[in-house]
Amino acid sequence: MASEDITKLAESLAKTKVGGGQLSFKGQSLKLNTAEDAEEVIKQIEEFDGLEALCLEGNTVGVEAAKVIAKALEKKSELKRCHWSDMFTGRLRSEIPPALISLGDALITAGAQLVELDLSDNAFGPDGVRGFEALLKGPACYSLQELRLNNCGMGIGGGKILAAALKECHRKSSAQGKPLALRIFVAGRNRLENDGATALAEAFGIVGTLEEVHMPQNGINHPGITALAQAFAVNPLLKVINLNDNTFTEKGAIAMAETLKALRQIEVINFGDCLVRSKGAVAIADAVKEGLHKLKELNLSFCEIKRDAALTVAEAIEDKAELEKLDLNGNCLGEEGCEQLQEILEGFNMAAVLGSLSDDEGEEEDDEEEEEEEEEEDDEEEEEEQHQLKERGQEEQESLTPKNIIDSQDSTPVPSPPVDVAMFLAFPSPEKLLRLGPKCSMLIAQQTDTSDVEKVVTTLLRISSVFKDEAPVKTAVHETTDALMRKAFTSATFNSDAFITSLLIHMGLLKSEEKIKAVPSLYGILMTLNHMVQQDYFPKSLAPVLSAFVTKPNRALDSCSFARHMLLQTLHQL
């Protein structure tokens, strides 16, 4: 290590905070790649008697450095709290699992009894969960009370691995006579979706000791919300439920409302931006009215709630003496409805608890038409779920071994219906893309008029919407994207500037005078762009434009932080 690097490291370590059993290197931007880089950190760990908490947040730890730090931790049996968020900045995803395995093994060897484990803001994806799976299943976590995994990009696969590890931890710890008593669970911004949430709900139902659950921005729809509601019902100590920015719809809201009636300790309900709609809001209001006397905060903002339902919510809080905040902003009350809401609360001497209504969408004029549209959307959602169930069944059938198929003489497998390009583009799914066959990339490129920028953007978004981390799907998406965009960018009539402008509008990153609905999730297009910008056909002049807009603060981008990070990292390397 160069002398100037040693000096810089020494200066950073001089800022190290020591006290109350905690050793903190928080925010020092230490770049610990090798064993030599980590020498001073190791020294401080080894010399710290009675180490109970170690904070490595805001640094970057490589595989070799993690190994030697782990060696130092093997003798720290009193360690209880690991504040290890944001400690792999700039690392390859492949580096993170082995680093976590080393650190986890050290805690098990030390005989530590963890109370808190925080690995938030580490973009390790599903593979990263494997890195601390053994730790979660092991005796070091039998005593775990707080698990924080916010913004880690775990995905459905990671959620399932995590759920299985928690169940195994509970089983083993119960056998020792001290069942896992997890109190706080945090896993926002992880793309858990329905399957990941349902798997975790099963684990929550087994644990039964939760007091706080924070799972905002996970793309969970009503099946996953319903599963969580059922799990929450057997966690009677729950005080905080934060499911902000998922999609309840009426079905999920009613299921959650039924659970709320059974809970007596609830203090915070955050269902903001969850599309509970009017019927869902009324159901939640009934639950609030019947009980929840300890309620301090109720957030139903940006949920497409209309005036009458919002007023019902206001009336439900009349006797909630501990209520500090009611958020109904961004709904459809209209000016008169806002005034009525305030009047109701003033009548209870509770006007002070009402948050701002500055983003109210105004009262809907045609209620019947709107209700019909809502019902149609729900029906479409149901149809899509049924379609997915059928496709899952088909996948299971295709997974049968040849021997099983031969041995089954009583039934003939039903052949899959043929798929063409038009069908895929109309109702895109990973299965349809794969069933188009090895020529899918050529077929889609041939049938897309690349002189029409809007058609190219729409087709690209449809292709990227089915992106998955699974190799066959990922490869098919990449190959199809390459064929389409190579054809477009090499065409003399294709306007690259118009393309990037239109794409940013459809992604919701750039405003347009026309009303264009942004894609519901940016994950697929961000991951596809991460591949696309590295190809020789992509005009490098577009990279700064793309980087500028992806860097800007944006809620949709925040919910896809892992994909956003990957794309920005790639763009900066171009």
Side-chain angles (χ1 to χ4, degrees):
M1 186 185 293
S3 59
E4 58 268 23
D5 292 334
I6 294 173
T7 302
K8 185 177 179 182
L9 180 59
E11 289 173 354
S12 294
L13 291 172
K15 302 173 185 174
T16 302
K17 295 179 181 179
V18 178
Q22 173 169 290
L23 178 61
S24 176
F25 299 94
K26 183 176 180 178
Q28 295 181 21
S29 301
L30 301 176
K31 295 180 180 179
L32 308 178
N33 298 317
T34 65
E36 186 182 4
D37 293 339
E39 282 179 358
E40 287 295 326
V41 173
I42 294 165
K43 183 182 177 183
Q44 296 217 29
I45 292 173
E46 289 177 339
E47 293 178 353
F48 197 113
D49 292 329
L51 180 63
E52 294 184 5
L54 176 63
C55 182
L56 295 173
E57 179 184 351
N59 300 288
T60 178
V61 181
V63 176
E64 293 304 314
K67 285 180 181 178
V68 291
I69 291 173
K71 196 69 179 174
L73 290 175
E74 287 181 356
K75 298 176 183 178
K76 300 298 176 180
S77 61
E78 296 178 14
L79 188 63
K80 292 180 174 63
R81 298 183 182 276
C82 297
H83 302 292
W84 293 349
S85 62
D86 190 20
M87 59 177 274
F88 296 112
T89 304
R91 297 289 168 187
L92 297 173
R93 275 180 64 179
S94 58
E95 293 181 84
I96 300 176
L100 288 173
I101 289 170
S102 296
L103 293 167
D105 288 348
L107 297 178
I108 295 172
T109 301
Q113 294 289 301
L114 293 186
V115 172
E116 180 180 1
L117 177 61
D118 187 353
L119 290 168
S120 298
D121 300 316
N122 290 309
F124 47 57
D127 295 339
V129 185
R130 292 287 187 196
F132 60 93
E133 180 184 16
L135 172 63
L136 273 182
K137 291 180 177 180
C141 284
Y142 290 175
S143 53
L144 195 65
Q145 295 180 21
E146 301 179 26
L147 180 58
R148 302 176 189 274
L149 298 166
N150 202 54
N151 194 28
C152 292
M154 289 190 291
I156 294 171
K160 289 182 176 180
I161 297 167
L162 175 61
L166 287 172
K167 288 191 287 186
E168 182 70 1
C169 180
H170 187 271
R171 185 186 68 79
K172 289 182 176 179
S173 58
S174 296
Q176 297 290 323
K178 293 184 178 179
L180 172 68
L182 191 66
R183 295 190 305 106
I184 298 174
F185 180 83
V186 181
R189 300 179 180 178
N190 270 295
R191 300 183 290 105
L192 295 170
E193 300 181 18
N194 288 334
D195 289 349
T198 300
L200 285 167
E202 187 177 338
F204 296 162
I206 292 170
V207 172
T209 56
L210 289 167
E211 295 179 18
E212 295 185 21
V213 175
H214 302 263
M215 295 174 66
Q217 296 184 12
N218 269 300
I220 308 170
N221 299 326
H222 77 76
I225 296 297
T226 300
L228 288 172
Q230 292 167 349
F232 293 165
V234 291
N235 281 266
L237 302 178
L238 265 174
K239 296 179 181 178
V240 178
I241 302 177
N242 177 5
L243 294 174
N244 189 286
D245 201 5
N246 289 291
T247 307
F248 283 42
T249 65
E250 179 187 330
K251 292 180 181 178
I254 289 174
M256 193 62 70
E258 286 302 309
T259 286
L260 290 175
K261 292 177 182 178
L263 300 175
R264 294 289 178 264
Q265 306 300 320
I266 290 291
E267 296 178 3
V268 176
I269 298 172
N270 187 344
F271 297 160
D273 207 5
C274 282
L275 200 66
V276 304
R277 296 194 177 126
S278 295
K279 290 181 181 178
V282 169
I284 292 169
D286 288 343
V288 171
K289 191 171 185 177
E290 287 184 21
L292 305 187
H293 296 293
K294 295 184 179 181
L295 189 64
K296 294 180 179 179
E297 180 178 336
L298 175 59
N299 184 348
L300 294 174
S301 60
F302 298 94
C303 281
E304 293 191 6
I305 301 169
K306 295 171 188 172
R307 181 181 62 180
D308 290 347
L311 298 181
T312 301
V313 172
E315 290 167 351
I317 66 167
E318 180 177 2
D319 62 345
K320 309 307 168 195
E322 296 187 30
L323 193 71
E324 298 170 0
K325 184 178 180 181
L326 172 64
D327 193 345
L328 288 168
N329 198 19
N331 287 299
C332 310
L333 280 68
E335 187 176 345
E336 184 180 345
C338 290
E339 291 175 358
Q340 290 177 322
L341 183 65
Q342 290 166 333
E343 287 173 6
I344 289 172
L345 294 174
E346 284 171 2
F348 304 152
N349 291 321
M350 296 180 71
V353 306
L354 183 62
S356 170
L357 297 173
S358 60
D359 292 320
D360 186 74
E361 295 287 340
E363 189 171 9
E364 297 288 342
E365 292 181 4
D366 192 348
D367 286 348
E368 288 185 10
E369 184 177 333
E370 182 66 22
E371 289 293 338
E372 286 175 8
E373 288 178 5
E374 290 174 5
E375 287 172 10
E376 284 176 11
E377 287 175 12
D378 288 341
D379 289 342
E380 287 173 7
E381 188 179 332
E382 282 292 327
E383 287 175 11
E384 181 61 25
E385 283 172 26
Q386 293 300 320
H387 177 66
Q388 289 173 354
L389 286 171
K390 287 178 182 177
E391 290 186 330
R392 282 200 195 108
Q394 182 186 330
E395 286 174 8
E396 290 170 3
Q397 182 176 341
E398 290 174 351
S399 70
L400 290 172
T401 63
K403 183 178 183 302
N404 287 341
I405 294 172
I406 292 170
D407 290 346
S408 178
Q409 301 295 328
D410 298 330
S411 60
T412 304
V414 179
S416 302
V419 175
D420 58 20
V421 172
M423 184 184 295
F424 166 73
L425 292 177
F427 303 101
S429 73
E431 293 74 20
K432 288 194 187 80
L433 183 62
L434 294 176
R435 278 161 51 198
L436 279 172
K439 294 183 179 180
C440 65
S441 57
M442 179 187 69
L443 291 171
I444 291 176
Q446 283 179 345
Q447 295 185 36
T448 304
D449 180 5
T450 52
S451 65
D452 187 332
V453 167
E454 281 299 310
K455 283 187 179 178
V456 173
V457 169
T458 302
T459 304
L460 175 62
L461 289 170
R462 296 281 172 85
I463 296 167
S464 65
S465 71
V466 307
F467 180 91
K468 281 187 176 181
D469 288 321
E470 298 167 7
V473 178
K474 183 194 291 186
T475 300
V477 169
H478 287 174
E479 289 178 352
T480 309
T481 298
D482 289 342
L484 172 69
M485 298 315 302
R486 189 180 300 279
K487 178 185 175 184
F489 283 126
T490 55
S491 170
T493 59
F494 190 69
N495 189 328
S496 298
D497 292 335
F499 165 78
I500 198 71
T501 299
S502 177
L503 181 61
L504 290 169
I505 290 171
H506 282 274
M507 291 173 68
L509 306 183
L510 183 63
K511 290 184 178 179
S512 169
E513 293 180 1
E514 299 177 18
K515 286 190 176 181
I516 295 177
K517 189 175 181 181
V519 292
S521 171
L522 293 181
Y523 178 73
I525 185 60
L526 289 172
M527 294 300 285
T528 304
L529 284 169
N530 183 54
H531 166 80
M532 202 170 99
V533 299
Q534 300 177 62
Q535 309 311 308
D536 56 5
Y537 60 75
F538 184 80
K540 296 300 182 278
S541 60
L542 298 183
V545 179
L546 190 56
S547 179
F549 280 92
V550 175
T551 305
K552 287 182 178 180
N554 183 283
R555 288 179 65 189
L557 286 171
D558 288 343
S559 65
C560 303
S561 56
F562 170 72
R564 179 191 206 177
H565 170 76
M566 294 286 288
L567 176 56
L568 287 174
Q569 194 172 45
T570 301
L571 288 169
H572 291 156
Q573 291 171 357
L574 292 178

